[in-house]
Amino acid sequence: MNKGAIIFLLLNIVLGAVLSSYVPILGWSSKDNVFPSNSVNKYTQEHFKTLIQSIINENSVETLTIFVEPKLRSDQLSTVFDSYSSNSNGGLFKNLKNSVEESKSHIFVPSSEVGVLSIVSQLKGIKGSVFVAKESDTQFEIEGAQNILLSEASKIQPTLSNKVVDIVVVLLAQHQDSTIKQFQSVVEKSSFVSFFTAASAQEFDVQATFNKQVEQSFLQDAAPLNSDSQQSSQQSSGSGSNEPTKQHFTYVTGPVLSAYLIISILLAILFTGICCISDLQVPDRYEAPKSKVL
C-alpha cells in the first residue's frame, strides 16, 4: 500500500476522532418562539442547561420531554436518519421525523458536549413532577424523580395537564423509535417541548480503526494477484463453491467529505497567491527626474 493511501486513512481517522466527542441535539415543540431564533452549530453543557432552565422558568408549556439515546455521534446522524437516500422516510427514526415535521417550531444543534443526564440533575425551580422512564436494569437516578418502565408511558398522562412544567426523561435502548412514538403520543395531548440527544458519543478506537483500514486495503491490493490462482485451483478441483464476499469498512461520511472540499479550496487559493507573488517583477533600480541613477 502506497504512502498516499496511508495518509488518506490517517486523515479519515483523525477527523472521525474529533467528531466522536460530540452528540447532536434535536428539539421540537407544539408552540412557536420556544427556541432561540439565531442558528447555533455548537452547544456546551451550560448552553443546553440555560435553554432548558429558561423553558421551565417561562412556564409556557406543560411537558418537557428529553429522549436520550445511549450512544450517538454527531457524524452518525445522517446515516441513522438515512439522509443520503433520495426517498428517505427517516431511516431508523421514522416516528421522530414525523413528530419534528408536524411541530410548530424546532431546533437542531449539530454538535453538543456530552453530559445531558448530569444537566437534568442540576435544574432548579421545578414545580411539576419529574419522571425517569428506563429499562429495569438501567442504573440512573434523579433525586425526587419517579421511576417508570419504558412500557408504562400511560402512567404519566394524568399528571401532565397541571399548568406547570413536568419533566420526562426517557432513557432509550439503541434506536428505539417505537418508544419515542409511545411517549410522544402521550405528551402531545398538552403543550410540550421535546428534545432528542445522546448520553455519550460512540467510543472511537483510533488504533483499532487504523489497523482495520490497513488490513482491508491490503486485501483489496492482493485480490487481483490471487484471483487467477484461485480460479485455476477451483477449476482443477471441480468444486462449485463461491468465494465469500468481503465486507469493506469505509469511514468517509458527509462531514469528512465536506472537510476535504474546504481544505482543497483553501489550498488552491494559497497556491494561487504564492504563484502570483512569485511572478511579480520589479526593477532593481530607479532613475531620478534628472536621469541620475539612484
Side-chain angles (χ1 to χ4, degrees):
M1 186 175 58
N2 55 21
K3 295 182 179 179
I6 295 177
I7 295 174
F8 180 76
L9 295 177
L10 288 174
L11 286 175
N12 283 333
I13 294 171
V14 171
L15 289 175
V18 172
L19 293 172
S20 65
S21 59
Y22 295 101
V23 297
I25 295 178
L26 180 63
W28 66 100
S29 175
S30 60
K31 289 195 171 185
D32 298 321
N33 303 323
V34 176
F35 305 110
S37 56
N38 56 329
S39 60
V40 180
N41 294 325
K42 184 178 178 181
Y43 262 11
T44 61
Q45 291 188 19
E46 191 63 29
H47 288 151
F48 191 40
K49 177 183 175 182
T50 302
L51 176 60
I52 297 178
Q53 190 68 60
S54 64
I55 295 174
I56 296 175
N57 295 339
E58 291 175 2
N59 200 27
S60 58
V61 296
E62 293 183 306
T63 309
L64 172 62
T65 309
I66 304 177
F67 298 100
V68 183
E69 186 81 358
K71 292 182 179 181
L72 181 65
R73 293 198 311 264
S74 296
D75 61 307
Q76 292 178 323
L77 199 62
S78 56
T79 304
V80 171
F81 280 90
D82 195 21
S83 302
Y84 299 124
S85 176
S86 58
N87 55 351
S88 174
N89 58 354
L92 299 176
F93 290 99
K94 300 177 182 179
N95 297 313
L96 176 60
K97 176 178 179 291
N98 294 332
S99 298
V100 175
E101 291 178 345
E102 295 172 0
S103 63
K104 291 186 178 180
S105 61
H106 62 272
I107 186 175
F108 173 61
V109 181
S111 300
S112 175
E113 294 178 354
V114 297
V116 61
L117 297 180
S118 61
I119 291 175
V120 177
S121 305
Q122 301 172 8
L123 297 176
K124 300 178 180 179
I126 302 175
K127 299 179 181 179
S129 303
V130 179
F131 297 93
V132 177
K134 59 181 182 178
E135 298 286 356
S136 57
D137 56 347
T138 303
Q139 301 296 326
F140 175 73
E141 300 290 338
I142 296 179
E143 185 178 357
Q146 305 178 38
N147 297 324
I148 61 174
L149 296 177
L150 292 176
S151 58
E152 299 175 342
S154 58
K155 286 187 176 182
I156 66 175
Q157 184 173 352
T159 314
L160 299 183
S161 300
N162 53 4
K163 305 302 179 182
V164 293
V165 180
D166 298 302
I167 299 178
V168 182
V169 180
V170 183
L171 303 180
L172 301 169
Q174 192 72 20
H175 302 158
Q176 203 168 16
D177 188 43
S178 58
T179 304
I180 296 179
K181 180 181 180 180
Q182 181 182 0
F183 277 87
Q184 195 63 28
S185 62
V186 174
V187 302
E188 284 178 351
K189 296 180 180 180
S190 58
S191 57
F192 71 90
V193 174
S194 296
F195 291 96
F196 172 80
T197 183
S200 64
Q202 291 275 11
E203 296 179 359
F204 193 87
D205 191 344
V206 175
Q207 183 64 37
T209 305
F210 177 73
N211 292 338
K212 189 174 183 180
Q213 291 266 18
V214 173
E215 179 182 356
Q216 292 178 352
S217 297
F218 275 117
L219 290 175
Q220 292 177 354
D221 295 338
L225 300 176
N226 299 330
S227 59
D228 296 336
S229 59
Q230 289 178 354
Q231 290 178 359
S232 60
S233 61
Q234 288 177 358
Q235 291 176 358
S236 61
S237 60
S239 62
S241 60
N242 296 326
E243 183 183 358
T245 304
K246 298 183 179 66
Q247 296 182 353
H248 300 289
F249 172 82
T250 303
Y251 194 80
V252 183
T253 60
V256 174
L257 292 176
S258 301
Y260 286 150
L261 177 62
I262 294 173
I263 292 174
S264 62
I265 294 174
L266 293 177
L267 288 176
I269 295 173
L270 174 63
F271 291 139
T272 303
I274 294 175
C275 292
C276 293
I277 293 175
S278 62
D279 286 341
L280 290 177
Q281 296 181 359
V282 296
D284 54 356
R285 58 182 180 177
Y286 298 89
E287 295 183 359
K290 295 182 181 181
S291 299
K292 291 183 179 180
V293 180
L294 295 180

